[in-house]
Structures are given as structure tokens and as C-alpha cells.
Amino acid sequence: MHTANSQLFYPLRGAFYLSSKSGFANFKVSSNIRQMFMGIAIKTTELYLRDRQRRMLCDGLFLQAAPGTLTAIMGPCGCGKSVFLRLLTGYERPTQGRIFFGSSELWANYAHVRDIIGYVPQAEVMIPELLVAESLDYRLRFRFSKRTVEERHQQIRDTCALLGLGNLDSLLAKRVGLPEWRGEYPSGGERRRINIAHEILSQPQVLFMDEPTSGLASIEADALVKHIRELAHHQGIPVVMTIHSPSRDTFECFHDMMVMGMGGVMAYYGKREKAAEYFERTTPIAFQGDNPAEYIMRCVSNEPHAGREAALRLQQSRHRPGFEYLIQPWESAEIAPVLSTEALPQ
Ligand SMILES: Nc1ncnc2c1ncn2[C@@H]1O[C@H](COP(=O)(O)OP(=O)(O)O)[C@@H](O)[C@H]1O
Ligand SMILES: [Mg+2]
């Protein structure tokens, strides 16, 4: 969340509830965690971005993420994962292409739409000297200035619980610290969750995370991604995360998987459980029952032009029978009816 204008936030949410047949009531959470917000779908056309030297940074990537799903974006270092997230979150404007959150177009309703986007960049942005509780409360007061102390306290605890943080009394009373500080500070995995909690407190309707598991031990990474998946499901928001080298367990948490190649190209986008099969079918590289994520990374980074070749193969495969699990790009011709039936109040 990037603006603190809650007056704009409520009409937008209200419009969504009115237009939604199921609404809040049918969206019960099985555990004792209260559902706090509800998300909307993200849809883009193919997006393009060039840098000042006219080098392609994003070459036709697109996204279609449904509420309640977890999408992972995988690809070699420097292929443009962070650039793609910055385009989707409105930090950078594409040279070509359109981005929709529900029925609102990002660059046509910038102030409204930016308010519903949660974005956890790779670098943590917490102040190390604050207590965890203070740090979270500061964020909450900034966003929802009218809430009482008790309401804020409850929301902080609910949010921490959503992310699987335990021992809350003791954790909230610790100082945030820095990863290299020794002593009574949150562990690496706790820090990462606390950092994400700051963003979730603002009740985003869509959530993007840039490599939330980098630097974590694989057990911590697996646990974090499981909680992120649960969060997407319970809150009914689309969550999109980039990840560099997921373990097998982490890999299996994703609903949809996008694989990128160097130069901001798309090498695969479809159901996660079909990803390895797709590369087996379309490349000469054999999958030997190892971690599917490692196998896929081998397929897109084994030679200098692997990404571009993979992108061409993907475009051809989409039109062939037997590849229905691939997600098709959204044609801008489909946009007009969507806009006219569900336009948001200005
Ligand atoms: N604002 C920018 N202007 C120009 N080039 C950029 C910019 N941001 C990133 N790049 C370049 O785009 C490519 C992709 O970077 P990035 O998205 O950070 O990769 P990844 O996150 O996949 O490791 C890199 O070559 C990087 O140097
Ligand atoms: Mg990156």
C-alpha cells in the first residue's frame, strides 16, 4: 500500500461487495482467524518495457491471477522478475500494454488502484530499533487512523496468526533488530513474516512479493510459502511471488507457475502441476525425477538463447491440442465489455 488515503479505499471496497454475489458472509474461514479482506482478479494484456538503450526488459509477459490463488514467477537471475513485479505494482509504466485490477485499469485510476495493491519488495523496510508491536502499530495507524487501540491490537494479532507466527506476546515485545544483530531478536523466518505482516495490515486486495524466501533455510522457506498460500486462500486475494530456487515442497504449494527466460520473456505460464511435463514434451532435456523446479531452471538456462527459444515454443504450443493447461494472453478486444458492466465509482 502506498498511499494513506482511506477515504478512497472504502468506496472501492463497498463497490466490490455490492457487485459480488457471495460477499463476505459466504467466505467463512475454517480456523479461528477472522477474515479481514477480500481480493479481486488481476488481468493484463501482454506487457512490454524497454530501457533507455532500447533493450527489452519485459517482452510480452502477462498475468491472469484469480482471487485466492498463489502464482509463482521463476527464472534465472537477471531475467527480469523484479522488473515485471514493478510493472504490475505501478512502480514502472509499461511502454505498451494494460493492467487491470478487477475492472479498474491501473494507469487510468492510478490513485485508487495503487491503494489496493500490496507489494513486499525484496529488501526489508523495517526500523530496527522499534519493538515489533510498535513497528506494526505505526503502519496500522498510518493506514487506518480512526481505529481504536483495541482494534489495532486485535488486527495485529490476527495478521501475525495468519502468517503462522506463534508466541505472539514475546515476539511483539522484541525489538525488530537487523539480521546480523545477535541477541533477543526475531529469527530469520520470523523477521520475514513480520516484514510481510506490515504490508498485509493495510488489507490489500492483491499482493505481490519479490523473492520472499531468499536467504531463508529451506525448512523456513517451505513453511513461509505454505502460510502465504493459506493467506491467499483464506483472504481470497490473488498472491503473486517471484522465487529463485524453490524446494520440491515449496514448488507444490503454487497454483499457477510462470517461468521466465533471460530478456523478460515467458517460457511457461500455466498450471504448476503441468510445468515439468510441458518442458519434457517440448525440450530434449529429460526430467529424471529430481526437483521439478531445478529441472525447469535447467531447461530455460542451459544455453544463451534458451529463453528466447522457449518463448517461441510457448507461443506455438498454446495453439496445439493437449496444451489446454497453458494460460492464454488476454486480448485487449475483450476489455471493453468488462469495463462497461462493472465500472468503479470515481
Ligand atoms: N530501472 C531499470 N532500468 C534499466 N535496466 C534495469 C532496470 N531495472 C533492472 N534492469 C535490468 O533488467 C534486467 C532484469 O533485472 P531484474 O528484474 O532485477 O532481474 P531478476 O529480478 O530476475 O533477477 C537486468 O539486466 C537489470 O540490470
Ligand atoms: Mg529480482
Side-chain angles (χ1 to χ4, degrees), residues 148-193:
T148 65
V149 177
E150 290 73 31
E151 284 169 341
R152 297 202 308 267
H153 190 73
Q154 190 57 47
Q155 197 184 335
I156 288 173
R157 298 183 79 85
D158 287 348
T159 303
C160 289
L162 270 177
L163 287 165
L165 285 164
N167 269 334
L168 282 185
D169 290 326
S170 127
L171 183 67
L172 290 168
K174 287 179 182 170
R175 280 190 200 286
V176 169
L178 284 172
E180 58 271 24
W181 289 7
R182 294 283 152 260
E184 277 293 292
Y185 300 107
S187 71
E190 284 172 335
R191 287 183 60 77
R192 204 55 67 88
R193 290 173 206 220

Side-chain angles (χ1 to χ4, degrees), residues 5 18 39 57 80 85 89 104 107 114 240 245:
N5 195 338
L18 286 176
L57 297 181
L85 283 194
T89 49
S104 289
W107 288 98
R114 275 291 286 267
V240 179
S245 43

